[in-house]
Every structure is written in C-alpha cells, then in structure tokens.
Amino acid sequence: MIEYIEYKEKQEVITMIRETENLDPKALAKELLNDRTHGAAKAGAGELQKADAFAEGYKAFMNAAKTERETVTWAVQAAEAAGFEPLRPMKMYQPGDKVYYNNRGKALCLAVIGKKGVKKGVRIAAAHIDSPRIDLKPIPLYESSEMALLKTHYYGGIKKYQWTAIPLSMHGKIVRKDGTEITVNVGEKEGDPQFTITDILPHLGKDQMGKTLGEAINGEDLNILVGSLPLTDGEGEQQFKLNIMNILHQQYGIVESDLISAEIEFVPAFKAVDIGFDRSMIGAYGHDDRVCAYPALEAIFDCGVPEYTAITVLADKEEIGSVGNTGLASEFLNYFIADLAGGEGWMAHHVFSQSTCLSADVTAAYDPTYASAFEAGNSCYLNRGVGVAKYTGSRGKGGSNDANAEFVAQVRKIFDDNGVIWQIGELGKVDQGGGGTVALDISRLNADVIDVGVPVLSMHSPFEVVSKLDVYMAYKAFKAYFLAE
C-alpha cells in the first residue's frame, strides 16, 4: 500500500515543536536517529560466539581455495555433499530441488527451487571468486645472471610494490597438446618450495626511492625467482632454465611449449590467521571477494525450501571487468535462469524482471591511518555488520548501479526483521576514486540489485583484514534474504 504524505502546514509544525519540548532527548534520539552502537554491543556474547565458530570454517575454506578454479572445486564438492545435482536443462523442477551449473571450472551457479518456482522471480546472491594476483606470460621461463625466473603479467588492480619480497605459491592448470590436464599447487603444503619477487636493498635503492609509489616497481620487473642451479657443471646454453624445465618435466611430464596452454597463478603463500590480541579479525589473501562467496554458499546450503527460488552465483573475472565467458558480463547466468524457467514454460526475461539480487561484494572499511580518503559519516567500519552500498562507481556515480529506494527499503526490512547487524556507506570520498561490482551486469537484465558485502582493510593487498562478526553477519544477511517471503 502506498501512502502519500503532504508536507504539514506552518501552524501544525509549530504545534509539533511545542509538544516535543518536554521529551527526553535520549529517548527521542534512540527513536529518530541512526543507531551507531558498536556491533559487538548489539550482537551480544552469543552472536559473537557464533561468529567465532563461523570464522573457523571460513579460514579453512580460504586456505583450501585461493583461486577461482580451486573455489569452484571446493564449492561443487560441498554442494554435492549438501544434495545438489548438476542442472538438467528444461527439466520441470519441484520445490526443494537443488541444482548447480559448473561453468568451465571457473564459475558456478547454484539454485534451490522455491515454493513459487521461478515464475514469480528469483533471489540472487552474486559474488566473485577471482582476486588480484600475478599471472604468467605465455612464454614465461628465462634465465639471467645465473638465475632462473618467470616473466609475469599482473591481474587486477594491485599496488605492485606490495608483491615484492613476500612468499608466493603457484596454482593453476596445465593442459598438454594431447588434452591431458595437470593441476598444479606448489607452496601451500608444509615442506613445499615457495617463490618470490625480489626487491632492491635500501642501501642501493636511491633511484627507486626517488620515484612515486606507482612508478617504483615496473610491471615488467615483477619476475618470479624459481631457481639458481644449472643442470650440470659442464658448459652449455640455458643450463639454469634447462634445470627448472627438467624438474617440471620429471614432476608433471611437460615440456616448455605446454606452458603456452596453461593458466598459472602466483598468489601469497600466507595462511588465513586470526588478527589482534582479541582474535576479532581475520587476515588472509583474497578476502575480496571470497569473504562474500563463502557466506553466500553457506546461506544457500542452509535455506531449506524457500518461498522464492534462491540462487548463489560465483563468478570469475570481476577484477578485470567481468569479461570472458566465465565473467558476469557474459550470458551464463542468463542461460542458467532460462533453463530453469523453460521447465516451467516461462521465459528468462520475465523471470529477471521480477527478480532481485544482492551483489555480494566487499566494501572499504574505514581506516583511521588513512582517514583523509574517507568521509567518516558515510563509511563502513569493522564490527558494525555487513556493509550495504546503494551505489558504487566513481565521482559522479560513473559506472554505478544505483539501487532504487523501494528495493533499499525492502532489504532494510529483511535485515532488521531477522537480527542482521548492518551498516551503509560509500567507497571513500566522492572525488577520491571509486570502484565497481557485478551489480551492473545483473541490473542490465532488469533485476533490482544492491551491493551487500563485508568491509575490508587493506583491500587488494596480498594480506587483507576483515572482522569475524561482519563475515557472520554477511551469512545471516544472505540467508535472511533467501528465506524472506
């Protein structure tokens, strides 16, 4: 029901002001102003204990799934254990049925069919599972000055200087010309070798330190050190490169040309750990955006038989524009919905037009060390709950999905009615910069979309920080959204 309210006449306003003169300001503030109570105080001891327990599962996930391929592998195994089966296109599914679509091992759609099927629209939680990292060039291996190194091409928005002089692990897949697929994971197990990108010592770093941070490390200088011994003591060309290639051949049965058809990623070898004496935070590589992917997965596993069909999407390539056939700028989500809708004799565009989506992506957490980049009154903070962003983009909301007021109100009510601690904010000051999410790619299908995710400190660095309470509240938010009637 829509209620139209006109602005009150002058005399009515004067009368109202006089009637409030004897009110208690504290009581009035509690009723009328936004609640800025710290999340821990709102949550209470019981919720904090649940957050701690949820964080243990999340840390294990983060250690097992550092790339988009590893995340999909983990998610499919967890989904099948929860009763999900591969999608059968155009099948008429029944309420409670659980299906998934694995898109090339790098993106994933999961659905729990609701009591209303899909004709009345679906509820989508869409996260991405790629993170900034260091990729290899097509012909990466070379030797120089009696060392073997790999040429790289960084992926996503990174500060290049942060990726030098830290331990790296190697992940990915090599596909030989005969189609044989080889999964690679080196540097994560105890006793594995690790790798690094060297930096110049401060004693000789005068020229480097005279440059800006953005210029101090060149992209072509992000070379990964992988060896320093020749194949033999005898003379010969490329003995250092040959020694590494011989090791790879013995280990994986590959030759150098097989690296052309490989997707090898180097990521920090750090494990997810508790941060702080109070253990209230988690430090890890890749919170952006697996810190939203994990709660969205757990929420769909725990949603029972919802009223509306619940869908969790894990997408690739968001960090470089959601491109390619595994990014959400492609049609794979559209096709997934079309296959579900077809079983009910419906068309995908009718479904999307009645659907809503939580674009499950992180936001920036207010950092007092860099306070000048934020507008304190419109920022998200650690431990104040899951963050909502009505719009992202940059400067004049360029490149933004700007959620409408009706959908914002709907999300507010769902969260408040289900005890979800949440906050709303922007990604820093208006002219400071900005960023985007997959919200644009889903809103173009005529669904209502808003960004909801976990605030992150040191975003896009090799070691990001989040609050355990905020991660748990993301799970509660996605679950409440799926179950809302």
Side-chain angles (χ1 to χ4, degrees):
M1 177 179 178
I2 300 176
E3 181 182 4
Y4 294 96
I5 302 175
E6 294 183 359
Y7 193 74
K8 297 184 183 299
E9 297 294 332
K10 177 180 177 181
Q11 189 56 47
E12 291 182 87
V13 173
I14 293 173
T15 301
M16 288 188 336
I17 292 172
R18 287 173 178 167
E19 289 175 349
T20 61
E21 287 178 350
N22 296 323
L23 290 177
D24 180 358
K26 290 185 178 180
L28 195 61
K30 185 176 181 179
E31 180 181 353
L32 299 182
L33 300 183
N34 288 332
D35 186 0
R36 305 290 284 182
T37 305
H38 191 278
K42 284 183 182 179
E47 288 287 85
L48 290 176
Q49 289 177 355
K50 292 178 182 177
D52 287 340
F54 191 80
E56 293 306 305
Y58 172 61
K59 287 189 294 183
F61 162 78
M62 290 295 282
N63 290 335
K66 286 193 170 183
T67 69
E68 70 285 352
R69 286 186 183 275
E70 291 173 353
T71 303
V72 169
T73 297
W74 187 97
V76 168
Q77 291 174 350
E80 289 181 343
F84 285 73
E85 298 179 351
L87 173 72
R88 292 172 59 186
M90 311 302 285
K91 177 182 175 180
M92 177 64 179
Y93 284 104
Q94 301 301 317
D97 285 346
K98 303 175 182 179
V99 298
Y100 71 86
Y101 167 63
N102 183 344
N103 185 9
R104 296 169 171 84
K106 300 170 72 174
L108 186 68
C109 298
L110 305 101
V112 175
I113 308 303
K115 297 173 185 176
K116 297 181 184 292
V118 300
K119 288 185 179 181
K120 298 296 184 180
V122 298
R123 294 207 165 139
I124 305 167
H128 71 88
I129 50 177
D130 61 314
S131 299
R133 60 179 190 254
I134 306 294
D135 287 348
L136 291 189
K137 289 191 174 184
I139 302 176
L141 184 59
Y142 75 103
E143 68 174 60
S144 179
S145 304
E146 301 182 347
M147 290 187 288
L149 303 106
L150 295 171
K151 296 297 295 182
T152 70
H153 194 135
Y154 63 90
Y155 173 98
I158 69 170
K159 292 179 177 178
K160 295 187 284 291
Y161 68 87
Q162 293 180 329
W163 289 76
T164 64
I166 62 171
L168 301 173
S169 56
M170 183 173 76
H171 301 246
K173 176 175 282 190
I174 303 168
V175 183
R176 295 202 306 233
K177 191 163 55 174
D178 63 2
T180 304
E181 297 183 0
I182 302 157
T183 297
V184 176
N185 185 317
V186 183
E188 297 293 342
K189 299 176 186 175
E190 187 69 30
D192 274 2
Q194 295 180 342
F195 313 92
T196 195
I197 299 168
T198 60
D199 196 2
I200 193 167
L201 62 162
H203 313 69
L204 303 178
K206 177 178 177 295
D207 291 344
Q208 184 194 63
M209 289 188 286
K211 299 177 182 178
T212 65
L213 280 177
E215 297 171 338
I217 303 293
N218 188 283
E220 292 294 345
D221 294 335
L222 295 175
N223 303 314
I224 298 174
L225 181 62
V226 296
S228 64
L229 293 176
L231 180 64
T232 68
D233 293 333
E235 295 184 2
E237 294 184 359
Q238 303 190 90
Q239 290 294 302
F240 296 86
K241 173 181 176 178
L242 188 58
N243 188 40
I244 298 303
M245 202 62 245
N246 185 51
I247 293 170
L248 294 176
H249 179 69
Q250 291 180 356
Q251 181 73 33
Y252 303 111
I254 64 170
V255 297
E256 185 179 10
S257 63
D258 290 326
L259 297 177
I260 294 172
S261 51
E263 291 181 356
I264 301 297
E265 305 168 10
F266 281 81
V267 302
F270 312 134
K271 300 294 185 184
V273 296
D274 289 347
I275 295 292
F277 288 118
D278 57 6
R279 295 181 176 269
S280 61
M281 298 164 285
I282 304 169
Y285 161 71
H287 284 315
D288 180 11
D289 183 38
R290 287 186 283 281
V291 75
C292 296
Y294 181 78
L297 278 171
E298 292 297 311
I300 201 168
F301 293 161
D302 294 345
C303 71
V305 184
E307 194 72 18
Y308 293 87
T309 294
I311 294 177
T312 288
V313 181
L314 306 181
D316 185 23
K317 297 291 193 292
E318 190 275 343
E319 296 295 358
I320 58 172
S322 295
V323 297
N325 55 13
T326 54
L328 271 178
S330 78
E331 297 293 325
F332 78 86
L333 173 60
N334 196 1
Y335 295 161
F336 182 72
I337 299 292
D339 283 335
L340 292 176
E344 298 182 23
W346 215 239
M347 298 185 72
H349 68 273
H350 292 301
V351 176
F352 273 113
S353 296
Q354 301 177 83
S355 297
T356 60
C357 174
L358 302 187
S359 172
D361 206 342
V362 298
T363 188
Y366 184 88
D367 190 333
T369 303
Y370 303 100
S372 62
F374 298 86
E375 196 264 282
N378 282 284
S379 293
C380 289
Y381 293 76
L382 290 190
N383 289 306
R384 288 191 185 175
V386 67
V388 177
K390 185 178 185 294
Y391 47 81
T392 53
S394 61
R395 296 173 176 84
K397 297 188 180 180
S400 169
N401 166 73
D402 195 347
N404 61 57
E406 293 88 346
F407 186 44
V408 177
Q410 181 182 340
V411 170
R412 284 177 56 201
K413 182 174 181 359
I414 291 172
F415 289 175
D416 288 344
D417 288 351
N418 290 277
V420 176
I421 300 173
W422 64 278
Q423 56 187 316
I424 192 164
E426 294 188 346
L427 190 65
K429 286 184 176 178
V430 173
D431 286 332
Q432 189 68 29
T437 67
V438 299
L440 277 176
D441 302 304
I442 296 177
S443 62
R444 70 179 177 80
L445 297 168
N446 200 31
D448 283 324
V449 187
I450 192 169
D451 285 291
V452 176
V454 176
V456 178
L457 289 173
S458 302
M459 190 191 298
H460 278 214
S461 76
F463 192 74
E464 301 168 318
V465 176
V466 297
S467 149
K468 291 180 179 180
L469 179 62
D470 297 341
V471 178
Y472 179 63
M473 286 301 150
Y475 161 74
K476 286 192 69 172
F478 299 140
K479 184 177 178 181
Y481 167 70
F482 285 150
L483 292 176
E485 298 184 358

